[in-house]
Each structure stands twice: as C-alpha cells, then as structure tokens.
Amino acid sequence: MTTLTVNGTLRESAAPPSTPLLEVLRNEFALTGSRFGCGEEQCGACLVLIDGTPAQSCGREIGTLQGRAVTTIEGLQNHPIIAALIAEQAGQCGYCLSGMAVAAAALLARNPNPTRAEIATALDPQLCRCGAHPRILRAVERAARELNR
Amino acid sequence: MTDLPKSLADNPRLDRWLRFAEGRVHVSVGKVEIGQGISTALAQIAAEELDISLDRLAWRAGDTQLAPDEGSTSSSLSIEIGGASLRLVCAETRALFLAEVARLLNAAAEELEVEDGTILHAGTPTGHDYWSLAPRVSLARDATGTTAPKPRARHRLVGTNTPRRDLPGKLTGGAFVHDMVLPGMLHARVLRQPRPGATLAAVNEAALARHGARLVRSGDFAAILAPTEAALRAAVEAARPRWDNADTPTPAMSEAAWLATQPADIRTRGSEAAPPPGRSHAATYSRPYIAHASLGPSCAVAHEQSGILEVWTHVQGVYPFRINAAQTLQRAPETIVVRHAHGPGCYGHNGADDAALDAAIIATLVPSTPVRVLWSRADEFAFAPAGTAMQTALRAVLDAEGMPADLTATITSGVHVNRAPGRLLASRTLPNAQPLPPPAESSDPYPGTGARNIVPYYDIPTWRYEHRLVTGTPIRTSALRGLGAVVNVFALECFLDELADLVGQDPAAYRLRLLSDPRARFLVERAAAMSNWSARGPAGTGIGLGMGFARYKNKSGYACVVVEVEADTEIRLRHIWCTADAGLAINPDGVRAQLEGGIIQAASMALKEQLRIDETGTATRSWADYPILRFSEIPPIDIELANTPDEPSLGMGECTMGPTAAAIANAAAHALGVRVRDMPLTRQRILRAASA
C-alpha cells in the first residue's frame, strides 16, 4: 500500500509497487486527464507535478511515491493556464493539452515572467502532432500576464 | 429538385439529422471531430439556420445507430459537403415549422421569425416554439433542398470565431475513447504478426497465467487479455511469441528510390501527343514513408452482447468501418454498432481502424466481456499504416520566353486509400482471410490519390502524366494529410523555382505570369508583400526566402506559403507567412488553426521525418527514432485570409502541406545555392548536394 497526496487529498493505492503512477492515477483514482502517450517518458502527455516538480508519470513507480504530493491536471483547474489555453484556442485533438498545461504551470511557478524563448525551451519535451504550438506559446504568455496582475 | 450535396443525397430524411426535445435541438452528423474543430463549425451552421443559440444544441457525431452515414471524415470535405448538407437540412426544417405556424395563425410565413427557437409574429411571441410544435411537424420526410439558406448579411454565428465546444472537456479527463471504462472490462493487446504471411508457431501460454492473463486465438490472430494494464504489459512481455515464415525486408526499402525500382501498375492521363522539341529541364523529387504519429497510440473498446457487437473508436468513418468489420467477421452489418469517440489526432488514416478491428475480433472471442485495446507506442510506429513513399519526376519544355509550354510528370507511389475490407491489419491473420482484391486506387487528378494536384494550376498549355502505382510496398500505406498532393506540389513548386532560376526570373513573378485565377494571383501577391519578397537577396548567402503555392485538388482551398530560413549544414526556420482563401470561413479562427497545423506538420515532414525499415520490418519504434518539430524549432507564423465571404466555403485542413514543404525547400535552395530535392532535407542530404 502506498499513501500519497493527490491534488491535496490523501490517497492510498493498492497497486503493486512497480505500477506506473500514470496507471494508478487513471485506473485506480479515475483521474483520466493525465494521458498515455508512449510509456517511455518521451512525449510528455502524462506529465504531472511531484512535489511541484514536473515528472512524466508513465515512468514513476507508485512504490517510490510514499508520502509525496502529486498534482495532476485535475488539480490545476483553477490555474490561469486552463482559461488561457481555451482563450487562445490552443488545442486541436487536445490529447497533449493536459501535459502542456502541467508543464506551463511548472514553468510559471519557477519563472513568472518567461520570455517566448524560455517558454519554448520549457515546453520542448512536450510533443504536439496537430501543430498547436504557436497558440500554446501564446497561452502561456497570457497565463503569465494573468498571474502577474 | 436541386442537386443535393452528397451527404444529404445519401441521407435525405430530415429526422436522420434533427430532433427537437426538451428544449434542445439534437443534431446528428456523420462528420466527426478529429481536432479540426468541425463539431464547432457545423454547430455554427446549424444554430445559424435554425435561429437558436449554440447552447441549445445536443451533438452526436459518428454513430451507426444514431447518425447519418456521411462516409469518412476526410479530404477537407466536412464543411464543403457535410456543412452544405446540414445547412440545407436546418433551413428546410425551420421553414417547415414556420409554415405550420403560418397555417395555425393564418399569417404569412414571411411575417414570422425565430428567436432562439421561439416563433415570433411581427416581433411578438406566438406562443409556439420548435418544441411545442415538434409533435405537429413531422421530419419523417425527405429534404428537397429547395429552401434558400440565410443570406450572408443576416449571419450572426457563421463567420465568427466561435470557441471550440470540445476543448474544455479535453483539458480535464474523460474526453477520449482511451478514458472509457465499462464494468468488467478487460485490457487486451494483439500479438502482432511481424510481417504479412508470418505464421504463429508458439506462445508461452504458461507464463501468461502467472500474470492473471489469458490468450485468445483464431488462426494467426492471437491476443492477450488481462484484468489490468500492468498485468497485460507483463503478460505481453512474457508471451514470447515465435513467428515463422516472416519475410526479411532490407534497409534500402526505406527510400523512395527503392520504390521507383519496383513493378508498377502504370496509368497515363493527359495529352497523348509527344512533348514538343525545345529547351527542356528535368528533375526528380521524393519523400520517404511518413508516420502518422498521433500523440497517443490507437485505442478502441468493444463489447459483444446479445448478438450485437458495439465498438467505440476514433476512426474517421464509423459506417465504412462497420462494413469492413462485418465482412471480416462474416456477420451482418446490422449486428454491429460503431460509435465515434475522441482520439489523438494526426489528420490521416492512422491505426484507429486497426485497433477497432482488434477490439471487435477479441470481443467476439470473449462474448459478454467488454474489451479495451490500447496499442503500445512501438506498435503504433511499427504497425499503423504509413504515408507512402513517393517519387515525382518532372520534365518541362520551355517556350521562347522561358515559360513552360509542356509538362510531363512521372509519379511513383504506393497506395493512399487502404481501408477496404480485408486490408485492416488483423484481417490477414484470421483463418478465413480471403485473398485481397487489387486496391481501388484512382489515378485521376481530381480528387485523385497519388496523382492529386499533379495537373498544375498554372497556365501550361499541354501536360501528361504517368501514375506508377506500386502495390508491393514493404509496409502498409494509407492516406496521410494531403495524400499525393504533398509530394506533387512539393515537386511542382520546387520545379517552378528551378525553371525561374534557369531563365533568370524571380520565382514569385514567374508564378504570376503563369496564374490567371485572380484569387490565386491575389494570394501570391499578398504573401510576397507580407514577406517583403521584393527585398529578396541573391542566392547562397545562408539566408533564403522561398515560396510555394497550390489550390488543393485544383478546386478546393488555396494557400500560398513563404518561408524564410537560415541554412548552413542544417535548416532553421526563421519566419513563415501564409495567405489562404477559404471562401466563406465558417469560423475564421478555426481556419487559421487548420492552416497553422498544416504548416507545422508539413515543416516537420520536410525537415525531419522518415520511417526506417530494417530486416524485421519497421525499425522505427519510438519518438527517439522519429523526431518531430518541437516548440523551439517553430518560427513566427503570420497568416492572412482573403476576404471572399460570398464564395463557397473551402476545406482548409490540407491545402498548406505541399506549399509549405516546397517553400522550405525553395528557401533552403536560395540560402545554400544548391538544391535538395528529397525530403527530409537532412544535414546529410545538404552536404551531398553541396559536394555534387
């Protein structure tokens, strides 16, 4: 049994310790906003925050997360990045979007005034196939403005 | 009776599209959301014609039980045909309701209007609305298509940047087929036949039991079922299937050049006269196999119960898939219900249909148990069909003024349309697999597949082409965004630059001398102005400006793309400008999103993408093997739309692909002073061209 905090709530997972965090979130806790993209930590679709640091949840075993605090897209619904992504219409198929939002939230937490280049660098590990990149970049800028108001 | 658009001609009954209940308007359509924003644009059209607010709409798209059969969501036709159909349905339905109120009030229909579903007479409520009248107005009748839609001057929703109705849900959970959970659902994965014809000799079944998993098998179709994803993954690893009789492809097959050496079915079109004598120029262009590479692997859920097989899937066409599944499973189509659910996009025929068939077959092998199939990333790269390699060779004869008087094209291509029954991945492994009929691949230019857009939109007096269809591709191929138009436009637009260069003319001016369509001319002129083309410097400075233009399918969306690059041994994008003509843009911001996405996907293809083949089949198995364009590589993209709202709407999803790839190659050639004619434009190819 692993006890951890998910989006501010204490949760217990009965999954075997080697189970990826992503599968625990999706299948045990019914938090399906984090998405399976590759299972190889190469695309960012499953990005979450672990104690505030971005991490690809497909590659983190639940057994290593005893006592840790995980934040998923479901825990970021009041973060300005969500409204900003919608305001910029920054998604097409939308499969990458929750990972994008988590990556952006992590960036804005450590750098409230990122330049366009800094945003691009921070989002570079996150893949998007539909070509929503320009809008996602604008959304992060918009969220930064909102946070700094 | 007017000629109805295809979707309406195929589904004329009004009640197949619309139903009024409990203050809502239930709209059913066959065109599905694949990220292009179609569900929002169609909603705008429906709400516009019915005079209701968007909030009144309840939407159902892609459902063999509940929605009309509009075939596949493809070829940038969902607004042109699907939208045109829905517009007529809604206009006619509104008129039927008004006629009924006119009859009840003994008033003229022209004195009536609709405000969010409520019917007014001379501005005063009549006490009637769509819902109160619904029992009296039967929609169990065929559309006539004779009710004129609203004139543009009265549009309040069409032409506005209505926000995507599906986006908020995609920023939480539950939006995708991947998120579906049915009670008692098992997770399943097919042990993939490594090569066509390989036979399954053995599976370590004893190991499966240790993971709580089990095997189901039918011929060479073998799948593992487990209660959890983790158990399934462990079981698949432990299964160690042994396959016999797999053929062994070679790495050389990765290249378009190999395809050109293969036996082909040759079809010719155009002028039968031999090219005239004169100064000529010839060049050959190519693209390798391209992965659809949707961000998530393909997924489907299926449930066989009480004689009905229900499948939830992100295929582009639920009805075509149902026919395919019915034939493959040898059962009546009426016993299969296919429902569309959101999936990860790529604007092409990816593994969605294959995963849906996997799930359907497995569900029939374990009746009463819901089954979820999610492919692995490696399987998605290795076994989803690919955009085919292509080679397009061009030869032009120039007239006395240096303009092309005659064009000869030779296109070598695998198939682009590959969803017919028997052609999905699992089909060939079933015991009852039938020999495949030849692919039904068109060689016509319109709408065309491999020959799409090979007939130039320019004033070139005579042309002819040979479409060499190679069915023996080393990997399965399918429709990837733009089909053959991507490579043909890439070739034609690079070739025009070469011709201009040969006769010492500016490439933009050269295009304008060949273009008589004023809409096309406008886009080229505007793109040149936006990009400060007149200040374009000499070749070989390391900075280059290149242009590409096409009208998709020569009858759909227009796009002109100018790209500025910086190039030495590799190419960096500095700026992209795009002008496009969509006719009446239902949702201008949606149009821009489609243009941006096409530009970025094409840029990624032109600069980076190639599936690799080795002795095992597709060697590309992960994102590490298949880089795509990332945020820091994407330049500013400026887009301008032509203001042509009185022209019919034109699909925008694919029109930028060829122009973008060509503009990049032309810009690179301008920067470097040497030309690379084969995608992707890699460092290795640049070095080779420079040393030639």
Side-chain angles (χ1 to χ4, degrees):
Chain A
M1 195 70 82
T2 308
T3 304
L4 70 168
T5 306
V6 179
N7 299 329
T9 305
L10 209 59
R11 304 291 294 257
E12 286 195 334
S13 169
S18 64
T19 307
L21 170 61
L22 176 63
E23 284 174 21
V24 172
L25 293 172
R26 290 181 57 84
N27 299 336
E28 201 176 339
F29 300 159
L31 296 169
T32 52
S34 307
R35 305 204 167 101
F36 179 86
C38 65
E40 297 165 337
E41 300 182 87
Q42 291 180 0
C43 75
C46 65
L47 203 72
V48 299
L49 302 178
I50 299 178
D51 295 329
T53 303
Q56 311 220 34
S57 62
C58 71
R60 300 297 291 263
E61 296 183 354
I62 187 68
T64 68
L65 297 171
Q66 176 68 36
R68 310 290 292 274
V70 173
T71 306
T72 70
I73 185 71
E74 288 87 349
L76 292 173
Q77 290 300 303
N78 294 321
H79 192 285
I81 189 63
I82 302 293
L85 285 165
I86 291 170
E88 296 292 344
Q89 292 289 287
Q92 294 192 24
C93 83
Y95 202 84
C96 70
L97 271 191
S98 57
M100 297 291 178
V102 172
L107 167 68
L108 294 172
R110 65 171 191 273
N111 179 358
N113 285 300
T115 63
R116 175 72 64 116
E118 286 170 340
I119 299 169
T121 302
L123 295 184
D124 259 352
Q126 306 294 119
L127 297 181
C128 164
R129 187 52 161 168
C130 301
H133 308 74
R135 289 157 182 265
I136 294 168
L137 292 173
R138 288 205 300 272
V140 180
E141 289 172 336
R142 179 188 280 260
R145 286 198 302 275
E146 193 61 33
L147 279 168
N148 290 324
R149 276 188 350 152
Chain B
M1 182 86 175
T2 52
D3 276 346
L4 298 176
K6 179 165 171 45
S7 291
L8 189 51
D10 291 348
N11 307 271
R13 280 256 305 227
L14 295 174
D15 60 0
R16 196 74 178 130
W17 300 80
L18 291 182
R19 187 168 61 84
F20 297 84
E22 288 135 21
R24 308 271 279 172
V25 181
H26 296 259
V27 179
S28 299
V29 295
K31 299 298 184 186
V32 298
E33 185 62 54
I34 53 177
Q36 81 285 46
I38 195 66
S39 53
T40 302
L42 292 176
Q44 289 173 256
I45 290 172
E48 183 74 72
E49 291 300 331
L50 289 167
D51 281 319
I52 54 168
S53 65
L54 288 161
D55 298 338
R56 295 271 186 196
L57 293 171
W59 206 256
R60 166 63 67 177
D63 189 311
T64 60
Q65 199 171 43
L66 302 170
D69 179 0
E70 293 192 74
S72 185
T73 303
S74 60
S75 210
S76 300
L77 292 171
S78 297
I79 291 292
E80 294 181 28
I81 292 177
S85 299
L86 186 62
R87 180 182 292 118
L88 290 174
V89 165
C90 294
E92 187 156 348
T93 299
R94 178 182 180 278
L96 288 172
F97 278 88
L98 291 190
E100 178 64 13
V101 176
R103 199 183 62 77
L104 289 171
L105 301 181
N106 201 16
E110 295 72 42
E111 295 163 5
L112 303 172
E113 56 193 325
V114 182
E115 194 176 284
D116 196 18
T118 297
I119 295 162
L120 311 177
H121 179 221
T124 312
T126 59
H128 298 291
D129 57 45
Y130 285 144
W131 299 277
S132 64
L133 287 166
R136 307 175 64 108
V137 179
S138 171
L139 298 181
R141 58 199 294 163
D142 285 358
T144 63
T146 52
T147 304
K150 250 190 204 177
R152 187 174 66 83
R154 290 186 49 224
H155 284 171
R156 63 201 162 84
L157 287 170
V158 163
T160 66
N161 294 330
T162 300
R164 285 268 299 269
R165 289 156 57 86
D166 58 321
L167 266 194
K170 289 174 171 176
L171 275 157
T172 54
F176 294 92
V177 67
H178 302 61
D179 304 332
M180 270 188 72
V181 178
L182 295 179
M185 183 175 85
L186 293 180
H187 298 270
R189 182 166 303 160
V190 173
L191 298 176
R192 290 264 82 106
Q193 183 190 38
R195 297 289 299 159
T199 50
L200 184 55
V203 178
N204 185 358
E205 273 196 73
L208 303 186
R210 286 199 291 279
H211 300 285
R214 66 178 163 129
L215 184 78
V216 291
R217 194 169 166 181
S218 175
D220 290 312
F221 179 90
I224 295 173
L225 294 125
T228 67
E229 290 191 87
L232 177 65
R233 208 171 33 250
V236 168
E237 262 175 48
R240 308 236 175 268
R242 203 185 84 230
W243 295 90
D244 292 341
N245 304 317
D247 66 352
T248 48
T250 63
M253 294 178 177
S254 305
E255 307 299 332
W258 179 86
L259 195 69
T261 65
Q262 294 305 294
D265 179 4
I266 296 172
R267 298 95 172 262
T268 57
R269 299 284 191 279
S271 170
E272 288 173 12
R279 185 181 183 191
S280 69
H281 178 63
T284 300
Y285 306 85
S286 78
R287 184 193 73 180
Y289 296 97
I290 301 292
H292 289 280
S294 299
L295 195 64
S298 297
C299 182
V301 174
H303 191 192
E304 167 90 340
Q305 198 177 27
S306 314
I308 296 292
L309 172 62
E310 205 167 356
V311 184
W312 292 265
T313 164
H314 52 109
V315 295
Q316 289 169 271
V318 290
Y319 283 94
F321 174 76
R322 181 168 77 158
I323 290 170
N324 195 317
Q327 288 201 25
T328 303
L329 295 167
Q330 299 181 322
R331 57 194 285 168
E334 296 71 30
T335 66
I336 304 176
V337 175
V338 186
R339 305 193 199 279
H340 183 265
H342 291 311
C346 64
Y347 299 112
H349 169 188
N350 61 4
D353 301 68
D354 296 316
L357 186 62
D358 288 350
I361 297 170
I362 297 166
T364 62
L365 296 173
V366 292
S368 305
T369 305
V371 172
R372 174 187 190 257
V373 168
L374 172 67
W375 280 21
S376 69
R377 183 79 249 164
D379 281 358
E380 187 76 22
F381 272 116
F383 295 107
T388 183
M390 278 182 69
Q391 187 188 76
T392 298
L394 299 173
R395 180 177 179 274
V397 178
L398 301 180
D399 66 17
E401 291 175 30
M403 306 308 289
D406 181 272
L407 184 75
T408 303
T410 307
I411 307 155
T412 304
S413 177
V415 300
H416 294 268
V417 177
N418 211 357
R419 278 199 184 96
R423 295 194 169 274
L424 298 186
L425 189 53
S427 307
R428 67 192 191 203
T429 60
L430 293 172
N432 54 11
Q434 304 292 313
L436 285 179
E441 188 86 352
S442 164
S443 287
D444 293 336
Y446 318 116
T449 57
R452 183 172 288 181
N453 272 84
I454 195 59
V455 175
Y457 200 63
Y458 297 100
D459 301 331
I460 299 176
T462 51
W463 53 264
R464 71 197 60 69
Y465 67 83
E466 186 176 285
H467 178 204
R468 304 179 67 255
L469 178 66
V470 179
T471 54
T473 49
I475 54 178
R476 230 166 26 119
T477 57
S478 71
L480 182 124
R481 195 175 198 171
L483 281 67
V486 181
V487 182
N488 292 330
V489 169
F490 170 72
L492 282 167
E493 290 295 301
C494 287
F495 193 59
L496 271 192
D497 265 43
E498 293 192 45
L499 295 180
D501 202 33
L502 204 63
V503 298
Q505 293 196 33
D506 173 78
Y510 197 72
R511 281 174 175 80
L512 287 169
R513 285 185 69 185
L514 290 166
L515 276 173
S516 48
D517 179 346
R519 293 171 76 179
R521 295 182 60 85
F522 176 77
L523 296 186
V524 171
E525 285 165 354
R526 269 309 299 157
M530 284 170 77
S531 59
N532 199 18
W533 183 273
S534 58
R536 185 174 181 264
T541 65
I543 304 286
L545 204 59
M547 177 181 278
F549 164 82
R551 182 176 192 190
Y552 189 51
K553 294 185 272 184
N554 284 8
K555 61 174 187 179
S556 184
Y558 300 76
C560 184
V561 177
V562 174
V563 177
E564 184 181 70
V565 303
E566 184 183 338
D568 37 53
T569 56
E570 51 188 52
I571 297 164
R572 288 171 297 280
L573 304 173
R574 286 165 56 110
H575 208 122
I576 298 179
W577 299 267
C578 170
T579 53
D581 190 336
L584 172 64
I586 306 301
N587 186 325
D589 190 57
V591 165
R592 288 169 181 276
Q594 283 289 281
L595 295 169
E596 287 162 13
I599 288 168
I600 291 168
Q601 191 173 355
S604 184
M605 183 190 296
L607 293 174
K608 293 183 174 247
E609 298 183 25
Q610 175 165 19
L611 275 170
R612 295 281 172 190
I613 294 164
D614 68 9
E615 293 72 13
T616 62
T618 304
T620 304
R621 297 278 166 141
S622 75
W623 291 112
D625 304 331
Y626 198 84
I628 61 173
L629 221 56
R630 291 178 186 265
F631 279 91
S632 56
E633 299 168 303
I634 292 167
I637 301 173
D638 294 332
I639 291 176
E640 270 191 28
L641 301 181
N643 184 27
T644 52
D646 293 316
E647 300 287 347
S649 301
L650 300 172
M652 287 280 116
E654 296 163 287
C655 64
T656 50
M657 295 290 290
T660 302
I664 290 171
N666 287 337
H670 183 228
L672 295 165
V674 295
R675 180 170 288 276
V676 178
R677 298 189 180 93
D678 303 292
M679 288 192 260
L681 280 64
T682 56
R683 175 187 167 85
Q684 193 186 14
R685 287 197 164 112
I686 292 169
L687 291 173
R688 203 183 305 146
S691 64

Short mmCIF file of all heavy atoms in Angstrom, two decimals, chain A residues 1 30 33 40 47 53 59 64 89 98 100-101 117 136:
data_model
loop_
_atom_site.label_atom_id
_atom_site.label_comp_id
_atom_site.label_asym_id
_atom_site.label_seq_id
_atom_site.Cartn_x
_atom_site.Cartn_y
_atom_site.Cartn_z
N MET A 1 0.84 -1.21 0.00
CA MET A 1 0.00 0.00 0.00
C MET A 1 0.87 1.25 0.00
O MET A 1 1.81 1.37 0.77
CB MET A 1 -0.90 -0.01 1.26
CG MET A 1 -2.04 0.95 1.22
SD MET A 1 -3.32 0.50 0.03
CE MET A 1 -4.26 -0.73 0.95
N ALA A 30 -9.28 7.09 -11.06
CA ALA A 30 -10.20 7.63 -12.09
C ALA A 30 -9.87 9.07 -12.46
O ALA A 30 -10.75 9.87 -12.77
CB ALA A 30 -11.66 7.49 -11.65
N GLY A 33 -7.30 12.68 -16.78
CA GLY A 33 -6.74 13.83 -17.50
C GLY A 33 -5.29 13.63 -17.90
O GLY A 33 -4.82 14.19 -18.89
N GLU A 40 7.24 5.76 -22.31
CA GLU A 40 8.71 5.73 -22.37
C GLU A 40 9.32 7.07 -22.00
O GLU A 40 10.48 7.34 -22.31
CB GLU A 40 9.14 5.33 -23.80
CG GLU A 40 8.67 3.93 -24.18
CD GLU A 40 8.75 3.65 -25.68
OE1 GLU A 40 8.73 4.62 -26.48
OE2 GLU A 40 8.82 2.47 -26.04
N LEU A 47 2.36 14.17 -18.15
CA LEU A 47 3.10 15.00 -17.18
C LEU A 47 2.24 15.35 -15.95
O LEU A 47 1.08 15.74 -16.09
CB LEU A 47 3.57 16.30 -17.86
CG LEU A 47 4.77 16.97 -17.20
CD1 LEU A 47 6.04 16.16 -17.46
CD2 LEU A 47 4.93 18.41 -17.71
N THR A 53 7.52 19.50 -8.88
CA THR A 53 8.46 19.35 -9.99
C THR A 53 7.81 18.52 -11.09
O THR A 53 7.22 17.47 -10.81
CB THR A 53 9.74 18.62 -9.49
OG1 THR A 53 10.28 19.38 -8.42
CG2 THR A 53 10.77 18.49 -10.61
N GLY A 59 6.66 6.98 -16.11
CA GLY A 59 7.95 6.39 -15.75
C GLY A 59 8.23 6.40 -14.25
O GLY A 59 9.35 6.11 -13.82
N THR A 64 7.55 4.27 -5.24
CA THR A 64 8.57 5.26 -4.90
C THR A 64 7.96 6.57 -4.41
O THR A 64 8.68 7.53 -4.15
CB THR A 64 9.46 5.59 -6.11
OG1 THR A 64 8.66 6.29 -7.09
CG2 THR A 64 10.05 4.33 -6.74
N GLN A 89 -7.55 29.20 -27.82
CA GLN A 89 -7.99 28.06 -28.65
C GLN A 89 -6.77 27.22 -29.02
O GLN A 89 -6.52 26.91 -30.19
CB GLN A 89 -8.73 28.57 -29.89
CG GLN A 89 -10.06 29.22 -29.54
CD GLN A 89 -11.10 28.19 -29.09
OE1 GLN A 89 -11.63 27.44 -29.89
NE2 GLN A 89 -11.36 28.14 -27.80
N SER A 98 -3.27 18.38 -21.60
CA SER A 98 -3.12 18.38 -20.14
C SER A 98 -1.64 18.38 -19.77
O SER A 98 -1.23 19.07 -18.84
CB SER A 98 -3.87 17.20 -19.51
OG SER A 98 -3.43 15.98 -20.04
N MET A 100 0.68 19.79 -21.55
CA MET A 100 1.13 21.16 -21.81
C MET A 100 0.79 22.07 -20.63
O MET A 100 1.60 22.90 -20.22
CB MET A 100 0.44 21.70 -23.07
CG MET A 100 0.77 20.97 -24.35
SD MET A 100 2.48 21.26 -24.85
CE MET A 100 2.52 20.22 -26.34
N ALA A 101 -0.43 21.91 -20.11
CA ALA A 101 -0.87 22.76 -19.00
C ALA A 101 -0.01 22.53 -17.76
O ALA A 101 0.39 23.48 -17.08
CB ALA A 101 -2.34 22.48 -18.69
N ALA A 117 11.22 32.55 -25.75
CA ALA A 117 12.24 31.51 -25.91
C ALA A 117 12.30 30.60 -24.68
O ALA A 117 12.49 29.39 -24.80
CB ALA A 117 13.60 32.15 -26.17
N ILE A 136 -0.24 27.53 -28.10
CA ILE A 136 0.14 27.11 -26.75
C ILE A 136 1.15 28.11 -26.17
O ILE A 136 1.04 28.52 -25.01
CB ILE A 136 0.70 25.67 -26.76
CG1 ILE A 136 -0.42 24.69 -27.14
CG2 ILE A 136 1.28 25.31 -25.40
CD1 ILE A 136 0.05 23.27 -27.47
#
